[in-house]
Amino acid sequence: MTATAGIVFRLAWRNLWRNYRRTAIVLAAIVAGIWAMIFMIAFTRGMIESMVSDGIRSIPGHVQIHHPDFRNDPTVDNLMPSPGGELAAALGGEDVVAWSSRVRVPAVISSERGSRGVTLLGIDPVAEVPISFVADDIVEGRHLENERDRGLILGRRLLERIETDVGKRVVVMTQGTDNEVVDRGFRVVGVFESEIASTEEAFAFAGRAALQDLLAIGDQVSEIAVLGKNRREAEQLHRRLAETANAEVEVLPWYELNSYLGTTMRTMDGFVIVWIVVIFLALSFGFVNTLVMAVFERVREIGLMMALGMKPRTILAQIIAESLLLLAIGLAVGNILAWATIHLLSDGIDFSFVGEGLEIMGAASVLKPSLGIKDVLLSTAIVLGLGFVASLSPAIRASRYHPVAAITKE
Amino acid sequence: MDSVRCVGLYKTYKQGDQIIIGLDGVNLEVEQEGFACLQSPSGAGKTTLLNAMGGLDRPDGGEVYVAGKRIDNLSKGQLAEMRLHNIGFVFQAYNLIPVLTAMENVEFVMQLQGVPASERAMRAREALNEVGLEGLENRRPAKMSGGQQQRVAVARAIASRPAIVLADEPTANLDSSSARHLMELFAKINETRGTTFVIATHDEMAMSYAKRLIRMRDGKIVEDQLQET
Ligand SMILES: Nc1ncnc2c1ncn2[C@@H]1O[C@H](COP(=O)(O)OP(=O)(O)O)[C@@H](O)[C@H]1O
Ligand SMILES: [Mg+2]
């Protein structure tokens, strides 16, 4: 059998280079197709990747814990006690990189020139560092020093909208418990920028204790953001925390907290397969046509090989080997070129000139294509699998030749 | 035991609504180490008979035995297996696989037979020497003359050690000196190796080499005689 495999491979290889020009043209098309396939997948993966990681940083965290009613009614009426006992112990688990409890309320921020509604977050700036984006993105002034800090951090856009500045005072107004409105002056101590412009207008940050004070809610919090090792392990982390937590809180993973992100991630896998199949179908016309011609031109020698005792299924194997060999070469070269392209672009592609468009989708304006081994293996498997199916018909036709009729064909 | 034995072979072809008789009750035994020529004008059924004996085509009636085993009722795959191990073929033309060298063409059948590489190479080289092609092992068919190509086919046929070599008009595409050369080669191999040959031809010169002359007409054997060579 190995000797037969040897002759099958040798014939496939030699026949491939027999019509050098034709093979070169088909190969060039396959390489271009595979390149486009892999590059496009990597590009889209990169886009989704940055979308999701930015998304997770603005959730923030891989898992969050709330009062069960908080997500329907995110006000001070639905708070939970600061984590203690079993939950605190669970949060100390080794699959937790960091966690931070926060107070989150809707608020109105007013300067002398204008006012705006925002989501006001009371945070512990130190615990928050690994979890959310604020600390990295302070572009002016300073960050909050600790949870008792009485300063306020605003986004660049909001600052411009209400025409205030670092060092100036603004009034923060929100609803306390018992529906009464509370307000207090805060000094703007820092400004953050975000790649996603709307974030700059939507969020403001204060010290958690300062906000708890203002709201007179003791040490109660609105949410606990938990960062795990990576987002793919969020499911296990979520399960573990959900098991520990009591029924008075709700534990949710990122893909449920932001179902748009979760759906996007899942859709992406489907998109990859569709894209691979579409490219293959485009290629298969030229590819199958070449194969049919190659078989047709060789009727006589196929007849000869059969007469000499080569079995029909070996003929079949030889034609299929020939087509898979062609695809394999195309895959190898196409993948190498795609990898090289992606490597060259590893600093990211600056899309700021069309930035607005991408921001709407929640993606940053610098994209880094991201090539996963899983996608490479998947595309290779699909292309070879479909290639096999596409070459079956000419191969079966060749294997059904009658040796006498084939040999005597003019 | 005979190398090949045919009993009451019938074969008809349909062409439109016309029925053409290919073989019409052929009985024939070719003994081991025999050297027979099927001789007739064109269209008498030589090729049809060779194809039936070689398992390339099935007769409509009758029985064919090769090396004592009945082959006319075998399946397509079984026939391929039978040809691989028992029959050496030399056709009129297009005998060789264009993408393989002379050596590789000779090795081709042995490779399918599963002969180990070293033995294969040895037997192929020996056969190529025997047909006078030493030095041309690495040539592709396109770079060889018609006579040389036929001799590669002969080398391939004998290297795989078949029960019988069937040659259908092997000299038809050759000039007379190459044709003579080829027939001398057949005779020599029959002499030295004892290989059984059945050669279909309508070439007088080629016939003169045969030890046995079988004359056909309209799908029947009309004369079967031994001759001095
Ligand atoms: N495939 C075929 N279809 C129709 N008729 C055929 C076919 N093959 C052979 N014949 C006919 O059968 C007869 C015998 O042919 P063949 O065996 O080729 O004779 P030979 O080899 O002696 O020239 C001829 O009349 C030929 O025309
Ligand atoms: Mg004939």
Side-chain angles (χ1 to χ4, degrees):
Chain A
M1 198 59 225
T2 47
T4 306
I7 190 79
V8 160
F9 185 81
R10 175 183 292 162
L11 285 170
W13 177 259
R14 299 255 177 100
N15 278 319
L16 207 52
W17 302 109
R18 188 171 183 175
N19 193 330
Y20 192 87
R21 267 171 59 100
R22 185 171 64 198
T23 301
I25 290 168
V26 178
L27 197 55
I30 294 174
V31 166
I34 301 294
W35 177 87
M37 182 188 284
I38 299 295
F39 182 74
M40 191 64 189
I41 291 171
F43 183 81
T44 317
R45 282 270 188 233
M47 190 166 93
I48 303 285
E49 202 67 40
S50 86
M51 213 172 118
V52 169
S53 48
D54 287 354
I56 286 174
R57 272 160 73 76
S58 69
I59 285 175
H62 296 134
V63 174
Q64 283 192 355
I65 305 170
H66 299 110
H67 184 283
D69 296 328
F70 180 79
R71 280 174 16 105
N72 282 334
D73 180 21
T75 63
V76 283
D77 296 333
N78 295 314
L79 299 177
M80 53 189 175
S82 192
E86 272 187 58
L87 187 56
L91 289 170
E94 83 151 15
D95 52 350
V96 173
V97 170
W99 64 274
S100 164
S101 56
R102 335 163 94 209
V103 175
R104 176 192 276 256
V105 284
V108 173
I109 296 183
S110 312
S111 70
E112 299 105 47
R113 303 294 188 102
S115 61
R116 271 282 197 268
V118 295
T119 297
L120 179 60
L121 287 154
I123 59 173
D124 172 349
V126 180
E128 195 83 9
V129 168
I131 301 175
S132 73
F133 57 89
V134 203
D136 299 340
D137 300 320
I138 301 288
V139 290
E140 207 185 319
R142 62 168 178 85
H143 194 23
L144 300 171
E145 269 154 14
N146 55 48
E147 56 173 324
R148 326 214 138 265
D149 198 315
R150 298 197 154 257
L152 190 68
I153 308 280
L154 299 183
R156 164 74 65 207
R157 287 246 199 147
L158 182 63
L159 201 77
E160 284 163 5
R161 286 284 148 86
I162 59 173
E163 296 177 45
T164 183
D165 221 332
V166 174
K168 297 214 170 127
R169 285 181 79 83
V170 291
V171 175
V172 172
M173 189 164 67
T174 182
Q175 202 166 46
T177 47
D178 305 331
N179 288 337
E180 105 242 25
V181 170
V182 295
D183 59 62
R184 181 181 290 172
F186 279 79
R187 192 174 297 281
V188 180
V189 296
V191 181
F192 73 89
E193 274 180 5
S194 165
E195 286 183 325
I196 297 156
S198 60
T199 305
E200 291 181 17
E201 276 187 87
F203 294 99
F205 297 88
R208 186 180 62 212
L211 197 52
Q212 282 167 336
D213 241 24
L214 171 64
L215 295 166
I217 53 174
D219 70 349
Q220 295 188 96
V221 294
S222 325
E223 69 188 13
I224 300 164
V226 187
L227 188 70
K229 288 206 172 107
N230 70 56
R231 74 171 147 73
R232 282 168 200 86
E233 284 164 35
E235 201 177 329
Q236 288 133 267
L237 177 61
H238 164 246
R239 209 177 311 123
R240 193 176 69 79
L241 292 179
E243 275 163 18
T244 332
N246 55 31
E248 271 135 56
V249 295
E250 177 188 48
V251 184
L252 289 173
W254 65 268
Y255 44 86
E256 282 177 44
L257 288 161
N258 186 336
S259 56
Y260 172 69
L261 282 186
T263 314
T264 308
M265 281 307 290
R266 277 194 304 277
T267 316
M268 179 62 197
D269 290 335
F271 165 81
V272 166
I273 292 175
V274 169
W275 179 240
I276 294 171
V277 171
V278 164
I279 294 258
F280 180 85
L281 288 182
L283 283 179
S284 67
F285 289 100
F287 165 74
V288 172
N289 191 40
T290 309
L291 203 60
V292 169
M293 277 174 50
V295 168
F296 185 73
E297 286 168 356
R298 295 209 299 266
V299 172
R300 215 154 36 196
E301 63 194 78
I302 291 170
L304 172 67
M305 294 192 293
M306 288 178 134
L308 293 177
M310 190 179 252
K311 289 198 189 65
R313 63 161 186 268
T314 314
I315 302 280
L316 185 94
Q318 199 245 293
I319 305 293
I320 289 176
E322 204 170 313
S323 84
L324 293 188
L325 203 55
L326 181 65
L327 284 176
I329 298 169
L331 277 166
V333 178
N335 269 297
I336 289 170
L337 288 184
W339 178 84
T341 315
I342 290 162
H343 190 71
L344 282 176
L345 295 173
S346 59
D347 288 340
I349 313 163
D350 192 347
F351 274 92
S352 48
F353 60 97
V354 288
E356 297 281 339
L358 287 168
E359 272 174 26
I360 289 166
M361 293 165 59
S365 52
V366 175
L367 289 184
K368 287 180 191 166
S370 135
L371 182 58
I373 187 75
K374 243 173 75 184
D375 288 333
V376 171
L377 291 179
L378 182 72
S379 58
T380 301
I382 292 181
V383 167
L384 290 181
L386 290 179
F388 176 83
V389 173
S391 24
L392 269 181
S393 143
I396 288 175
R397 195 182 322 169
S399 75
R400 289 201 180 142
Y401 285 155
H402 191 282
V404 175
I407 288 175
T408 52
K409 182 175 179 292
E410 289 309 313
Chain B
M1 188 179 65
D2 298 313
S3 285
V4 61
R5 186 158 68 95
C6 305
V7 184
L9 289 188
Y10 282 89
K11 174 85 182 177
T12 54
Y13 296 102
K14 271 203 200 80
Q15 210 161 48
D17 35 64
Q18 217 180 344
I19 291 181
I20 298 166
I21 295 184
L23 295 175
D24 187 9
V26 171
N27 295 299
L28 176 67
E29 289 108 43
V30 180
E31 69 289 358
Q32 272 178 33
E33 307 198 6
F35 190 167
C37 251
L38 292 175
Q39 179 261 315
S40 80
S42 184
K46 302 184 295 294
T47 298
T48 308
L49 180 55
L50 279 188
N51 289 348
M53 293 197 291
L56 282 174
D57 210 355
R58 260 174 257 163
D60 298 335
E63 292 159 19
V64 181
Y65 297 83
V66 170
K69 290 204 188 70
R70 188 166 173 187
I71 65 151
D72 56 275
N73 51 4
L74 296 181
S75 71
K76 227 177 146 182
Q78 288 171 322
L79 277 178
E81 189 74 20
M82 188 288 295
R83 292 194 298 269
L84 178 64
H85 292 282
N86 296 296
I87 316 280
F89 287 101
V90 180
F91 299 105
Q92 180 175 336
Y94 308 113
N95 257 301
L96 304 181
I97 298 161
V99 292
L100 300 182
T101 64
M103 180 83 173
E104 289 164 345
N105 264 288
V106 175
E107 286 188 71
F108 180 80
V109 172
M110 289 188 281
Q111 203 161 354
L112 292 179
Q113 285 176 337
V115 177
S118 56
E119 187 188 340
R120 205 162 69 208
M122 195 195 73
R123 275 159 66 174
R125 218 170 282 280
E126 188 185 30
L128 280 169
N129 288 352
E130 208 165 330
V131 301
L133 290 178
E134 54 273 82
L136 299 189
E137 288 86 352
N138 295 323
R139 284 242 180 129
R140 296 257 182 123
K143 294 265 162 66
M144 289 188 277
S145 72
Q148 288 171 332
Q149 291 185 33
Q150 289 303 73
R151 282 189 279 156
V152 174
V154 174
R156 178 182 62 205
I158 59 174
S160 61
R161 306 202 173 140
I164 186 167
V165 173
L166 303 176
D168 193 357
E169 313 264 9
T171 60
N173 283 20
L174 301 182
D175 60 72
S176 65
S177 110
S178 303
R180 200 170 286 282
H181 238 87
L182 188 66
M183 290 312 296
E184 277 164 11
L185 185 58
F186 283 139
K188 186 189 88 184
I189 290 165
N190 173 252
E191 206 58 47
T192 57
R193 289 195 178 226
T195 309
T196 311
F197 283 91
V198 178
I199 298 164
T201 185
H202 61 266
D203 175 358
E204 296 285 340
M205 180 281 294
M207 284 170 229
S208 67
Y209 285 87
K211 293 198 256 181
R212 180 180 170 191
L213 205 56
I214 302 160
R215 211 176 287 276
M216 292 186 75
R217 183 126 316 150
D218 301 329
K220 291 191 181 76
I221 291 174
V222 292
E223 205 181 315
D224 186 348
Q225 63 184 32
L226 299 179
Q227 71 174 7
E228 290 298 317
T229 52

Coordinates of all heavy atoms in Angstrom, one line a residue, chain A residues 147-175:
Chain A
E147 N -10.4 56.1 47.7 CA -11.8 56.1 47.7 C -12.4 57.3 48.4 O -13.6 57.6 48.2 CB -12.4 54.8 48.2 CG -11.9 54.5 49.6 CD -12.6 53.3 50.2 OE1 -13.8 53.1 49.8 OE2 -11.9 52.5 50.9
R148 N -11.6 58.0 49.3 CA -12.2 59.1 50.0 C -11.9 60.4 49.2 O -12.4 61.5 49.7 CB -11.5 59.3 51.4 CG -11.1 58.0 52.0 CD -11.3 58.1 53.5 NE -11.9 56.8 54.0 CZ -13.2 56.6 54.2 NH1 -14.0 57.6 54.0 NH2 -13.6 55.4 54.5
D149 N -11.2 60.3 48.1 CA -10.9 61.5 47.3 C -12.2 62.3 47.0 O -13.2 61.7 46.6 CB -10.2 61.1 46.1 CG -9.4 62.3 45.4 OD1 -10.0 63.4 45.3 OD2 -8.3 62.1 45.0
R150 N -12.2 63.6 47.2 CA -13.4 64.4 47.0 C -13.4 65.0 45.6 O -14.3 65.8 45.3 CB -13.6 65.4 48.1 CG -13.8 64.7 49.4 CD -14.4 65.6 50.5 NE -15.0 64.8 51.5 CZ -16.4 64.6 51.5 NH1 -17.2 65.2 50.7 NH2 -16.9 63.8 52.5
G151 N -12.5 64.7 44.8 CA -12.4 65.2 43.5 C -13.3 64.5 42.5 O -13.9 63.5 42.8
L152 N -13.3 65.0 41.3 CA -14.2 64.4 40.2 C -13.4 64.3 38.9 O -12.6 65.2 38.6 CB -15.4 65.3 40.0 CG -16.6 64.8 39.2 CD1 -17.3 63.7 39.9 CD2 -17.5 66.0 38.9
I153 N -13.6 63.2 38.2 CA -12.9 63.0 36.9 C -14.0 63.0 35.9 O -15.0 62.3 35.9 CB -12.2 61.6 36.9 CG1 -11.3 61.4 38.1 CG2 -11.5 61.4 35.5 CD1 -9.9 62.0 38.0
L154 N -13.8 63.9 34.9 CA -14.7 64.0 33.8 C -14.1 63.6 32.4 O -12.8 63.7 32.3 CB -15.3 65.4 33.6 CG -16.0 66.0 34.9 CD1 -16.5 67.4 34.5 CD2 -17.2 65.1 35.2
G155 N -14.9 63.3 31.5 CA -14.4 63.0 30.1 C -14.1 64.3 29.4 O -14.7 65.4 29.7
R156 N -13.2 64.3 28.4 CA -12.8 65.5 27.7 C -14.0 66.1 27.0 O -14.2 67.3 27.1 CB -11.8 65.1 26.6 CG -11.5 66.0 25.5 CD -10.7 67.3 25.9 NE -9.4 66.9 26.3 CZ -8.7 67.7 27.1 NH1 -9.2 68.8 27.7 NH2 -7.4 67.4 27.4
R157 N -14.9 65.4 26.4 CA -16.0 65.9 25.7 C -17.0 66.6 26.6 O -17.5 67.7 26.3 CB -16.8 64.8 25.0 CG -16.1 64.3 23.8 CD -16.9 64.6 22.6 NE -16.4 63.7 21.5 CZ -17.3 63.3 20.5 NH1 -18.5 63.6 20.6 NH2 -16.8 62.5 19.6
L158 N -17.2 65.9 27.8 CA -18.2 66.5 28.7 C -17.7 67.8 29.2 O -18.4 68.8 29.3 CB -18.4 65.5 29.9 CG -19.4 66.0 31.0 CD1 -20.8 66.1 30.4 CD2 -19.4 65.0 32.1
L159 N -16.3 67.8 29.5 CA -15.7 69.1 29.9 C -15.9 70.2 29.0 O -16.3 71.3 29.3 CB -14.2 68.8 30.1 CG -13.4 69.7 30.9 CD1 -13.6 69.3 32.4 CD2 -11.9 69.6 30.6
E160 N -15.8 69.9 27.7 CA -16.0 70.9 26.6 C -17.5 71.3 26.5 O -17.8 72.5 26.4 CB -15.5 70.4 25.3 CG -14.0 70.4 25.2 CD -13.4 69.6 24.1 OE1 -14.2 69.0 23.3 OE2 -12.1 69.5 24.0
R161 N -18.4 70.3 26.7 CA -19.8 70.6 26.6 C -20.3 71.6 27.6 O -21.0 72.5 27.4 CB -20.6 69.3 26.7 CG -20.6 68.4 25.5 CD -21.4 69.0 24.3 NE -20.8 68.7 23.0 CZ -21.1 67.5 22.4 NH1 -21.9 66.7 22.9 NH2 -20.5 67.3 21.2
I162 N -19.8 71.3 28.9 CA -20.3 72.2 29.9 C -19.3 73.3 30.2 O -19.5 74.0 31.2 CB -20.7 71.4 31.2 CG1 -19.5 70.7 31.8 CG2 -21.8 70.4 30.9 CD1 -19.8 70.0 33.1
E163 N -18.3 73.4 29.4 CA -17.4 74.5 29.4 C -16.8 74.8 30.8 O -16.8 75.9 31.3 CB -18.0 75.8 28.9 CG -18.4 75.7 27.4 CD -19.1 76.9 26.9 OE1 -18.6 78.0 27.2 OE2 -20.1 76.8 26.2
T164 N -16.2 73.7 31.3 CA -15.5 73.9 32.6 C -14.1 73.4 32.4 O -13.7 73.1 31.3 CB -16.3 73.1 33.7 OG1 -15.6 73.4 35.0 CG2 -16.3 71.6 33.5
D165 N -13.4 73.3 33.5 CA -11.9 73.0 33.3 C -11.4 72.3 34.6 O -12.1 72.4 35.7 CB -11.1 74.2 33.0 CG -10.1 73.9 32.0 OD1 -9.6 72.8 31.9 OD2 -9.7 74.9 31.2
V166 N -10.2 71.8 34.5 CA -9.6 71.2 35.7 C -9.4 72.3 36.7 O -9.0 73.4 36.4 CB -8.3 70.5 35.3 CG1 -7.5 70.0 36.6 CG2 -8.5 69.4 34.4
G167 N -9.7 72.0 38.0 CA -9.6 73.0 39.0 C -10.8 73.7 39.4 O -11.0 74.2 40.4
K168 N -11.8 73.7 38.4 CA -13.1 74.4 38.7 C -14.0 73.5 39.4 O -13.9 72.3 39.4 CB -13.7 74.8 37.3 CG -12.8 75.8 36.6 CD -13.7 76.8 35.8 CE -12.8 78.0 35.3 NZ -13.0 78.1 33.9
R169 N -15.0 74.1 40.1 CA -16.0 73.3 40.8 C -17.3 73.1 39.9 O -17.6 74.0 39.2 CB -16.4 74.1 42.1 CG -15.3 74.0 43.2 CD -15.8 74.7 44.4 NE -16.7 73.9 45.2 CZ -16.3 72.9 46.1 NH1 -15.0 72.7 46.2 NH2 -17.2 72.3 46.8
V170 N -17.9 72.0 40.1 CA -19.2 71.7 39.4 C -20.1 71.2 40.5 O -19.6 70.7 41.6 CB -19.0 70.7 38.3 CG1 -18.3 71.3 37.1 CG2 -18.4 69.4 38.8
V171 N -21.4 71.2 40.2 CA -22.3 70.6 41.1 C -22.8 69.3 40.6 O -23.2 69.2 39.5 CB -23.5 71.6 41.3 CG1 -24.6 71.0 42.2 CG2 -23.1 72.9 41.9
V172 N -22.8 68.3 41.5 CA -23.3 67.0 41.2 C -24.6 66.8 41.9 O -24.7 67.0 43.1 CB -22.3 65.9 41.7 CG1 -22.9 64.5 41.5 CG2 -21.0 66.0 40.9
M173 N -25.6 66.5 41.1 CA -27.0 66.4 41.7 C -27.5 65.0 41.4 O -27.4 64.5 40.2 CB -27.9 67.4 41.1 CG -29.2 67.5 41.7 SD -30.0 69.0 41.2 CE -30.3 68.7 39.5
T174 N -28.0 64.3 42.4 CA -28.5 62.9 42.1 C -29.6 62.6 43.1 O -29.9 63.4 44.0 CB -27.4 61.9 42.2 OG1 -27.9 60.6 41.9 CG2 -26.7 61.8 43.6
Q175 N -30.2 61.5 43.0 CA -31.3 61.1 43.9 C -30.8 60.2 45.0 O -30.2 59.2 44.7 CB -32.4 60.4 43.1 CG -33.8 60.4 43.7 CD -34.8 60.0 42.7 OE1 -34.7 59.0 42.0 NE2 -35.9 60.8 42.6

